[in-house]
């Protein structure tokens, strides 16, 4: 079965860090660009970051530049999102995406 599974979310205080993972099953991830999206309560889903198939090119939402880093390990069929200096406005459900595939999402809550 073809699927993407996110993990690594949780509850952190402002200024804390989380590392999200997106693991692919049923297909080889290395051929595809991957995006991370998030959806905050009451808001539409927005793109956070994306990475090319080779990992050579990345892009970020302006509000997360300098704080988030996207990376991939094609040997592990996994894409990561390292999130540092987290802010309350980073709260939401984070999803990874490839073409028509979406993961189930992982909850990130930044609160004191």
């Amino acid at each position: 079965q073809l699927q993407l599974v996110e993990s690594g979310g949780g509850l952190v205080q402002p200024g804390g860090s989380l590392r999200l993972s997106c693991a692919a099953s049923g297909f080889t991830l290395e051929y595809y660009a991957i995006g991370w999206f998030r959806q905050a309560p009451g808001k539409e889903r927005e793109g956070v970051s994306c990475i090319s198939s080779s990992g050579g090119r990345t892009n970020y939402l302006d509000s997360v530049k300098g704080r988030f880093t996207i990376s991939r390990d094609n040997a592990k069929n996994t894409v990561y999102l390292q999130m540092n200096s987290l802010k309350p406005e980073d709260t939401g459900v984070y999803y990874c995406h490839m073409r028509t595939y979406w993961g189930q999402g992982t909850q990130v809550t930044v609160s004191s």
Side-chain angles (χ1 to χ4, degrees):
Q1 183 178 354
L2 307 180
Q3 61 180 349
L4 298 169
V5 179
E6 303 96 333
S7 62
L11 173 64
V12 297
Q13 295 189 183
S17 297
L18 286 173
R19 183 180 177 88
L20 306 184
S21 298
C22 174
S25 298
F27 64 97
T28 302
L29 196 61
E30 67 178 319
Y31 302 122
Y32 306 100
I34 303 296
W36 282 98
F37 291 72
R38 69 185 181 191
Q39 188 165 20
K43 296 184 178 180
E44 295 186 353
R45 192 173 299 182
E46 65 179 349
V48 177
S49 183
C50 60
I51 186 168
S52 62
S53 59
S54 68
R57 176 166 291 186
T58 59
N59 199 10
Y60 298 92
L61 184 67
D62 284 345
S63 62
V64 309
K65 288 181 179 177
R67 299 188 297 119
F68 290 12
T69 303
I70 190 170
S71 63
R72 67 192 302 158
D73 186 341
N74 287 335
K76 296 181 178 179
N77 226 27
T78 302
V79 173
Y80 305 95
L81 185 67
Q82 178 67 46
M83 306 186 297
N84 299 326
S85 302
L86 284 162
K87 304 175 180 180
E89 50 263 45
D90 294 318
T91 293
V93 179
Y94 283 68
Y95 303 86
C96 61
H97 170 256
M98 185 278 288
R99 298 183 69 184
T100 62
Y101 295 95
W102 292 88
Q104 85 288 352
T106 185
Q107 177 70 46
V108 172
T109 302
V110 185
S111 177
S112 58

